Amino acid sequence: MSATESAGDVDPATVEVIRNYLTSAATEMQRTLVRTAYNTIVYEILDFGISLYDADLRLVADSPGLAIFLGSNDAGIENAVAHVGRENLEPGDVILCNYPYWSQAHTLDVLVVAPIFVDDELVGFAACRAHWLDLGAKDEGYVLDSTEVYQEGTVFPGTKVYKGGEPDEEILDIIRFNSRMPDKVLGDLNAQIAALRTGARRLQELHERYGSATVDASIERLFDHGARTARDAVADLPDGSWTATGYADGIDSGVDRVEIVATVTIDGTDFTIDLTESADQLDSPYNATGGDALGKLCFKTVTTPEEDSNDGLYDPLSVETRPGSVFEPTDPAPTFVGWTGILAVEVVYRALAKGMPERMPASSGGDLCSIMLYGEDPQTGRPFVEANNEAVGWGATNERDGPNALMHVTETMVQNLPIEVLEQKAPVELDRLELRPDSGGAGRYRGGLGIRRDYRFTHPAGALSIVQKTQTDGWGLDGGDPGARNVVALATDDADDGDETADRVPDRVQILVDNDDLYDSTADDLSGADTAVSYAGMFRGAFEPGEVVSNRSGGGGGYGDPYERDPEAVREDVVDGYVSREAAREDYGVVVSADGELDRDATADLRER
């Protein structure tokens, strides 16, 4: 800050104008990226994170895409700039960082950073992280069984791809010749750079219009206000320390389920999330490098969800991880499927619910439930990768039912891929897209429903799932039941040839998490004379025309005793198709006739038993 102007010297109106200008600049960066990106994961699904920083690498504004990227951008930019050296930065530089232990994301979530100068003075930074389709990892799409980071693609620890405004063609060649889809990858890189340039222009205009002293002083006021607001919010929460445990599926290779332990401590205006008791790092790719990121997301949703992000809002927060653990893995531990970080958010919420159940919901479906398609485009003969994350049911609260079919909280602002786009980009047809009956946990307030989406292949193609919450339940609160688990049903050509002991899937499909013992395939509507149905969590395989992948996302947990739910509300759920007549009777003690009428006498008798 200039010695000639302090934070207290700037009038509030100017501070508010500058705050809105910064937020608008980040939003314009997002629009630039979306309008120029090459792959649907960026421009349709919005799998990115965009941030603006001051010269001291403190967050001043962001534009949410994938919510959990916010915190990882913060750590990633610090490490990338430190690796290059602040003294080595000049106008027009662009830096790449995807070294997972520094960037706090896997190798395909590439962070691109640009320093911003005004009159040769460094005034800030712009950052844009987005999902690239391929950087030469051992497998197409996603790597589900890597044992070290060197199998997960080309790594840039903080590498200048532009120097003084000019592209480094040798670095671009490394990217080009280490990707199965170089045109789209380089197209997305250019889109990220365009977004950075947009942010840089807007920040430069702000400094030129108001002067750097006024801008810097206003940013200090924003930080001070953010810190006060966040500490006031923490002070309104009860003091205490609470611990919860959850589990990720891991992988069926002799490794037990991955234990996630979160302890949350609130002491006055300090808020600490401790993940140090979680599992040791794994030799499979389910390590998560983003402990800070998941902590910031949990903290903000509980304290200041309506406030625009800046560095001050995280002033009360501390996140503790342990080197060599699943949340602070060390090189060369694989990190490609860092889904433990997604699941850990729910575990933090579960810990908080022990101390403030009236403020917290029951668990959601708890995962992103991603299906990724890949292979050779039958129309063009070129490689393709398309992905779709699925909505889950959210948990009920002590005041209302959980919402149906919303994206997981870690994916704030993220969208699923429109059916029309997916069917045009990949050789599949969508047979079904519907709410999943009986998936919401029973309770006085019912959990939200998950989704069922069936992909039928029209040409040979590959598919895989990215889901790690299929073998353990979520949780209800105050006597509520957990929602249904996530599961993927695979309907393939009969693989057993009459041998009941054989696998239900052909050898071309690899089941990494097997859930056949949890479900009855004979009752599944995908079963047929020539079709075998298998149930999976994580899988990868080659599929033939006519075969089906049925993605079924989990429901939210219920809140309160199901027998305290208004019978009329249960009847309406039956009429709407949310709850079956059988579940109404068994879970809620409510009798609904075949024509949708409530049998009050039978209900009263059943509930009295």
Side-chain angles (χ1 to χ4, degrees):
M1 188 189 307
S2 170
T4 62
E5 186 161 17
S6 70
D9 294 332
V10 186
D11 66 274
T14 299
V15 173
E16 189 65 8
V17 169
I18 288 175
R19 181 185 71 82
N20 280 278
Y21 195 106
L22 291 168
T23 300
S24 178
T27 301
E28 190 176 353
M29 290 172 66
Q30 181 193 102
R31 291 174 179 167
T32 300
L33 177 69
V34 168
R35 290 174 177 175
T36 57
Y38 273 52
N39 97 73
T40 57
I41 296 174
V42 176
Y43 69 75
E44 290 283 3
I45 294 177
L46 310 182
D47 189 344
F48 56 76
I50 288 172
S51 313
L52 282 171
Y53 297 86
D54 71 357
D56 295 322
L57 295 172
R58 297 176 298 177
L59 178 71
V60 298
D62 77 316
S63 188
L66 199 62
I68 206 164
F69 276 174
L70 173 62
S72 60
N73 278 3
D74 295 351
I77 191 171
E78 289 181 7
N79 289 315
V81 170
H83 183 71
V84 172
R86 184 181 292 260
E87 70 280 4
N88 298 318
L89 297 174
E90 58 181 337
D93 284 353
V94 177
I95 303 165
L96 300 180
C97 181
N98 69 336
Y99 183 54
Y101 320 104
W102 291 355
S103 71
Q104 292 207 341
H106 72 175
T107 52
L108 288 190
D109 289 333
V110 181
L111 179 65
V112 184
V113 176
I116 303 171
F117 290 83
V118 174
D119 296 329
D120 295 325
E121 178 185 357
L122 180 64
V123 299
F125 294 85
C128 177
R129 183 190 303 274
H131 183 91
W132 289 10
L133 293 178
D134 190 271
L135 266 176
K138 76 182 190 69
D139 298 318
E140 298 171 80
Y142 244 67
V143 181
L144 305 182
D145 59 354
S146 51
T147 58
E148 57 183 8
V149 71
Y150 309 115
Q151 299 169 345
E152 298 179 343
T154 307
V155 170
F156 299 96
T159 305
K160 286 189 182 184
V161 67
Y162 271 67
K163 299 176 180 178
E166 296 298 322
D168 187 320
E169 294 297 340
E170 292 181 342
I171 300 299
L172 292 176
D173 273 347
I174 290 174
I175 297 171
R176 182 177 293 111
F177 287 93
N178 281 278
S179 175
R180 297 173 178 89
M181 288 169 280
D183 292 345
K184 288 190 174 183
V185 166
L186 291 173
D188 288 336
L189 169 60
N190 288 334
Q192 289 175 270
I193 293 172
L196 299 184
R197 288 174 174 168
T198 298
R201 283 197 302 272
R202 296 298 173 254
L203 192 59
Q204 289 163 344
E205 290 169 359
L206 189 64
H207 278 262
E208 290 164 357
R209 180 173 181 178
Y210 290 95
S212 292
T214 298
V215 173
D216 291 345
S218 297
I219 288 173
E220 292 297 333
R221 285 277 293 273
L222 296 178
F223 292 157
D224 290 344
H225 177 266
R228 289 196 309 272
T229 301
R231 289 199 175 275
D232 288 346
V234 175
D236 286 340
L237 301 176
D239 282 0
S241 185
W242 312 278
T243 299
T245 302
Y247 297 89
D249 292 345
I251 186 172
D252 285 351
S253 61
V255 178
D256 293 333
R257 291 173 186 151
V258 184
E259 187 174 48
I260 302 167
V261 181
T263 298
V264 181
T265 301
I266 300 175
D267 182 7
T269 62
D270 294 326
F271 191 110
T272 302
I273 298 174
D274 185 344
L275 302 170
T276 58
E277 297 302 312
S278 298
D280 292 339
Q281 71 181 44
L282 309 168
D283 60 2
S284 56
Y286 306 104
N287 300 295
T289 57
D292 288 343
L294 73 89
K296 287 180 177 178
L297 175 62
C298 293
F299 176 76
K300 193 167 192 314
T301 56
V302 172
T303 56
T304 57
E306 303 299 327
E307 295 286 330
D308 292 333
S309 282
N310 66 54
D311 186 79
L313 288 168
Y314 303 102
D315 183 65
L317 175 66
S318 298
V319 180
E320 298 176 0
T321 57
R322 172 172 55 87
S325 73
V326 71
F327 292 113
E328 195 178 336
T330 57
D331 192 324
T335 64
F336 208 93
V337 190
W339 251 234
T340 41
I342 304 296
L343 274 57
V345 170
E346 300 270 357
V347 180
V348 172
Y349 289 160
R350 188 177 194 179
L352 286 166
K354 293 182 177 183
M356 52 193 87
E358 75 286 351
R359 291 176 177 259
M360 303 304 298
S363 73
S364 76
D367 212 315
L368 309 191
C369 305
S370 299
I371 296 293
M372 183 169 280
L373 308 171
Y374 60 91
E376 182 180 287
D377 187 321
Q379 299 182 50
T380 66
R382 303 182 70 179
F384 78 91
V385 171
E386 296 295 336
N388 189 57
N389 294 348
E390 204 55 80
V392 295
W394 280 35
T397 71
N398 68 336
E399 294 182 339
R400 60 181 62 88
D401 292 344
N404 296 329
L406 293 181
M407 288 298 187
H408 192 263
V409 66
T410 58
E411 296 186 293
T412 304
M413 302 298 290
V414 169
Q415 305 170 161
N416 56 27
L417 196 59
I419 291 174
E420 297 82 359
V421 174
L422 182 60
E423 292 184 338
Q424 193 272 330
K425 297 283 188 179
V428 293
E429 293 177 350
L430 276 293
D431 284 353
R432 300 172 71 156
L433 175 58
E434 61 190 29
L435 292 173
R436 188 181 172 195
D438 292 334
S439 59
R444 182 172 65 253
Y445 293 102
R446 174 184 44 73
L449 273 61
I451 283 285
R452 173 174 171 175
R453 186 189 298 258
D454 289 2
Y455 302 77
R456 183 176 299 276
F457 292 86
T458 59
H459 293 80
L464 58 87
S465 61
I466 315 164
V467 57
Q468 275 285 293
K469 185 69 173 176
T470 68
Q471 295 195 330
T472 53
D473 290 327
W475 52 88
L477 289 176
D478 194 29
D481 293 336
R485 297 176 183 177
N486 305 291
V487 65
V488 185
L490 309 177
T492 57
D493 290 341
D494 197 341
D496 59 26
D497 294 326
D499 181 358
E500 295 183 358
T501 66
D503 291 337
R504 292 181 181 172
V505 294
D507 291 343
R508 51 188 163 83
V509 179
Q510 178 189 15
I511 305 293
L512 288 91
V513 176
D514 190 339
N515 288 323
D516 275 347
D517 60 333
L518 302 177
Y519 300 92
D520 178 11
S521 65
T522 63
D524 200 298
D525 55 25
L526 290 177
S527 295
D530 299 319
T531 303
V533 177
S534 184
Y535 299 94
M538 205 84 80
F539 78 88
R540 181 188 194 96
F543 290 83
E544 296 296 326
E547 295 182 333
V548 176
V549 169
S550 179
N551 194 21
R552 303 169 185 184
S553 67
Y559 201 114
D561 185 346
Y563 271 47
E564 295 178 3
R565 185 167 177 79
D566 182 353
E568 178 59 26
V570 178
R571 186 197 71 81
E572 291 176 358
D573 284 345
V574 172
V575 171
D576 289 338
Y578 295 172
V579 175
S580 66
R581 291 176 61 213
E582 293 76 17
R585 184 183 186 94
E586 294 175 7
D587 297 338
Y588 293 95
V590 174
V591 180
V592 180
S593 67
D595 58 358
E597 296 299 320
L598 175 64
D599 188 330
R600 296 186 181 276
D601 291 338
T603 295
D605 289 343
L606 188 59
R607 285 189 164 186
E608 288 176 358
R609 293 178 187 174

